[in-house]
Amino acid sequence: MTTLSIARVFTRALYGMEAPLVTVEVCLASGLPAFAVVGLPQAGVREARDRVRSAIQASTFEFPRGKKITVNLAPADLPKHGARYDLAIAIGILVADGQLSERAVVSREFYGELTLSGDLRGVTGILPAMLACRAQGREAVVPLANAQEAAVVQQQQCVAAESLRDVVAHLQGPDGLPLLQPLPLDDSAEVGGDLADVIGQEQAKRALVLAAMGGHHLLFVGPPGTGKTMLAQRLLGLLPPLTDAEGLQVAAIRSVAGTSFSEESPSAWRARQLRTPHHSCSAAALVGGGSPPQPGEISLAHKAILFLDELPEFSRHVLDSLREPLESGQVTISRAGYQATFPAQFQLVCALNPSPCGHFDGTLASARATPDQISRYLGKLSGPLLDRIDMQVAVPRQPEVLQQQVRRQPPQSPQLRQDVAAVRALQLQRQGCLNAELKAAELAQYCRLEDEDHQFLVSAIDTFQLSHRAYHRVLRLARTIADAAQQSQISKSHLAEALSYRALDRLLQQLREL
């Protein structure tokens, strides 16, 4: 007669930004000794057999001998990747063998990779698992390496262990491992530098503040060494801190991507980041990819800034992959039998020198390259991508600035950050989103124009030969300019300023007229 002993232990898989529940069912049966793992395990999961056996023995526990061990990872149609199931499998074997009580594991979830000596290694994607575990009201047991990451989630019972022996002692003894304390919140750290560091470039500074107020995408056009990169870095210091919900979502993305929290300050998980991928990066690195899919640079820049320097040097295929995420605020990575969606609500800041020779002071006569060479160089940028960028700002050389003695300027960013926060609060109260996120159907309500002002805008659109999408972008930007001036109605002056931030369009028009 065959005797069966079955145990059930809970853990979670990592599926994009989701953490579906996985029930580890361990069956010990009499028969020929064997150790099988079923339930659509990938190679790393199948190798858990050797890690678990060695870890149990090294931790001075009895590994079942003369038994047929079957581990089922349910649901069976969900692909299982990585070594995150090791601890749950080991605990399931000890429960099935009677070395642990089933009552000790019924209200807990277990995560972690085991070493051959029984120590626990950290795994990726702990934060989404903690959020799902909190919703179920269970206690989470995680490796010590994931302790700081797990402590991001408020109101979640969680303990961190160094080894399998510590986990078993926690389950058996009355005095278990201490609960992790939530990370303190501190938004006082300055990031991105101060706007006062940039000497001159008043129009670019003004554009930077407007971009921060409305969440607009920005393109700096100018020769090397005029401060384009410095301006982009200062935008980070103008943005207000993330809310708790936004910070938690950003931290979850970094958790899935495997970004370690161990070297960061306690509040760094809430901080916005400036992501600056090199122009040699691939489309998969930029938007995400791999198997299983991993978030790319645009997702790591969620609620923050993606800075692309030397924009024409990027592959056109890579740049065009940004078009859909810029509109939808998310990216969906599809693979055979696997699909994952990652948030990608980022603010795009680009910089370029419109001439391949590197010399350009705002006019074609200042460039060493011919108009045909400039046209081919800028032809790497597709019209649909440029249509999605709200502001094109000239950053020219300013020789007169070099003639002035450099003096230390008082900080500007702290006060400007307060102004940005006030304008953003006005937009959220009025329409529930930033101006850059207004849908086309909402423009008629929040960006209404007088007939004369509307005719002025239509005439300018015809002159620059802009698309309907660019027309909407100008309206959204004009709405932000009006909000900055505390005006409820968009006027001709606001439209004129919004149209003044079309530096690249003016250059392309000059090239078309040649």
Side-chain angles (χ1 to χ4, degrees):
M1 179 177 179
T2 303
T3 59
L4 297 177
S5 177
I6 298 178
R8 292 178 179 84
V9 177
F10 299 115
T11 185
R12 292 188 180 272
L14 183 60
Y15 196 90
M17 293 297 297
E18 301 177 359
L21 182 67
V22 172
T23 303
V24 179
E25 301 174 327
V26 179
C27 175
L28 301 185
S30 57
L32 293 176
F35 193 161
V37 179
V38 298
L40 211 57
Q42 303 304 312
V45 183
R46 290 194 298 268
E47 293 170 352
R49 296 173 298 186
D50 299 319
R51 291 193 298 270
V52 168
R53 178 187 288 108
S54 177
I56 290 177
Q57 294 173 341
S59 301
T60 68
F61 302 117
E62 187 68 26
F63 187 82
R65 299 183 180 277
K67 298 284 187 179
K68 181 180 180 181
I69 305 174
T70 304
V71 177
N72 178 41
L73 305 178
D77 58 347
L78 179 69
K80 318 297 190 307
H81 300 270
R84 60 191 301 113
Y85 310 99
D86 287 5
L87 179 60
I89 293 174
I91 295 297
I93 291 176
L94 295 178
V95 171
D97 197 41
Q99 301 180 54
L100 277 176
S101 169
E102 188 171 359
R103 295 176 57 185
V105 302
V106 68
S107 60
R108 292 183 170 95
E109 296 182 8
F110 300 86
Y111 311 90
E113 174 186 350
L114 286 171
T115 66
L116 297 182
S117 61
D119 294 332
L120 282 173
R121 287 197 179 110
V123 296
T124 60
I126 279 293
L127 254 181
M130 293 300 98
L131 294 172
C133 183
R134 182 180 64 179
Q136 295 296 322
R138 298 193 182 100
E139 180 185 271
V141 180
V142 303
L144 190 61
N146 292 123
Q148 192 171 10
E149 186 176 347
V152 166
V153 181
Q154 308 288 320
Q155 300 176 347
Q156 162 62 27
Q157 287 194 336
C158 181
V159 298
E162 290 189 78
S163 65
L164 176 61
R165 188 182 295 106
D166 292 340
V167 175
V168 173
H170 173 69
L171 299 177
Q172 288 178 333
D175 299 327
L177 296 169
L179 294 176
L180 295 179
Q181 297 302 311
L183 287 179
L185 305 182
D186 180 15
D187 298 322
S188 60
E190 295 291 333
V191 294
D194 195 276
L195 197 59
D197 300 336
V198 182
I199 307 301
Q201 305 296 356
E202 297 304 323
Q203 186 191 36
K205 290 181 181 179
R206 165 72 172 172
L208 206 64
V209 174
L210 292 174
M213 288 178 171
H216 302 286
H217 305 305
L218 189 61
L219 171 64
F220 289 122
V221 181
T226 55
K228 300 188 295 294
T229 301
M230 180 180 287
L231 284 164
Q233 293 170 343
R234 268 55 186 174
L235 177 58
L236 199 64
L238 299 177
L239 300 178
L242 295 170
T243 64
D244 290 347
E246 291 171 342
L248 197 58
Q249 189 178 35
V250 168
I253 297 172
R254 298 176 189 173
S255 174
V256 173
T259 301
S260 174
F261 283 66
S262 59
E263 297 180 358
E264 299 182 357
S265 65
S267 61
W269 62 275
R270 288 169 52 90
R272 302 180 192 266
Q273 284 190 347
L274 176 70
R275 305 293 302 188
T276 57
H278 191 260
H279 58 74
S280 62
C281 76
S282 64
L286 192 63
V287 302
S291 182
Q294 293 292 307
E297 289 291 336
I298 63 174
S299 295
L300 293 171
H302 180 63
K303 297 296 181 180
I305 302 168
L306 179 69
F307 178 52
L308 303 182
D309 201 4
E310 301 298 340
L311 191 64
E313 300 298 333
F314 284 81
S315 165
R316 178 163 181 163
H317 166 68
V318 172
L319 293 178
D320 283 345
S321 66
L322 294 174
R323 287 157 54 177
E324 183 179 349
L326 283 172
E327 292 288 342
S328 63
Q330 63 182 21
V331 59
T332 300
I333 310 298
S334 298
R335 297 291 182 266
Y338 198 105
Q339 188 178 76
T341 299
F342 299 103
Q345 196 174 359
F346 59 95
Q347 192 166 354
L348 179 64
V349 181
C350 308
L352 64 83
N353 182 346
S355 175
C357 67
H359 294 268
F360 185 84
D361 286 334
T363 62
L364 294 176
S366 65
R368 296 178 181 175
T370 65
D372 286 342
Q373 290 174 325
I374 295 176
S375 295
R376 286 194 299 270
Y377 186 66
L378 296 179
K380 298 178 181 180
L381 309 176
S382 66
L385 175 64
L386 294 178
D387 269 352
R388 288 167 169 81
I389 299 178
D390 307 73
M391 311 173 71
Q392 305 164 5
V393 185
V395 188
R397 288 193 179 94
Q398 295 183 328
E400 67 278 5
V401 173
L402 298 178
Q403 299 176 5
Q404 303 173 5
Q405 183 70 25
V406 178
R407 294 181 175 86
R408 184 174 180 83
Q409 302 294 325
Q412 298 178 6
S413 291
Q415 179 59 48
L416 290 173
R417 190 184 305 117
Q418 295 180 15
D419 298 340
V420 168
V423 174
R424 284 188 167 218
L426 172 65
Q427 298 169 30
L428 295 175
Q429 182 181 10
R430 181 181 62 215
Q431 66 222 16
C433 65
L434 298 182
N435 289 335
E437 301 167 7
L438 282 172
K439 305 298 181 184
E442 299 171 330
L443 294 178
Q445 178 179 358
Y446 301 111
C447 303
R448 187 182 300 275
L449 300 176
E450 298 294 339
D451 292 341
E452 182 181 354
D453 297 335
H454 179 260
Q455 188 57 43
F456 168 76
L457 178 57
V458 171
S459 177
I461 293 296
D462 290 339
T463 300
F464 287 116
Q465 300 182 19
L466 302 181
S467 67
H468 290 181
R469 181 184 286 112
Y471 168 84
H472 292 158
R473 297 280 177 185
V474 171
L475 269 182
R476 296 185 182 99
L477 179 56
R479 177 69 269 173
T480 299
I481 296 172
D483 290 340
Q486 299 181 358
Q487 300 291 324
S488 59
Q489 178 66 34
I490 299 176
S491 66
K492 184 177 179 180
S493 62
H494 303 142
L495 293 171
E497 183 177 357
L499 288 167
S500 70
Y501 301 116
R502 309 297 303 183
L504 192 59
D505 288 333
R506 291 194 293 272
L507 174 61
L508 293 176
Q509 185 184 25
Q510 294 178 33
L511 292 172
R512 287 193 295 265
E513 292 174 352
L514 292 177

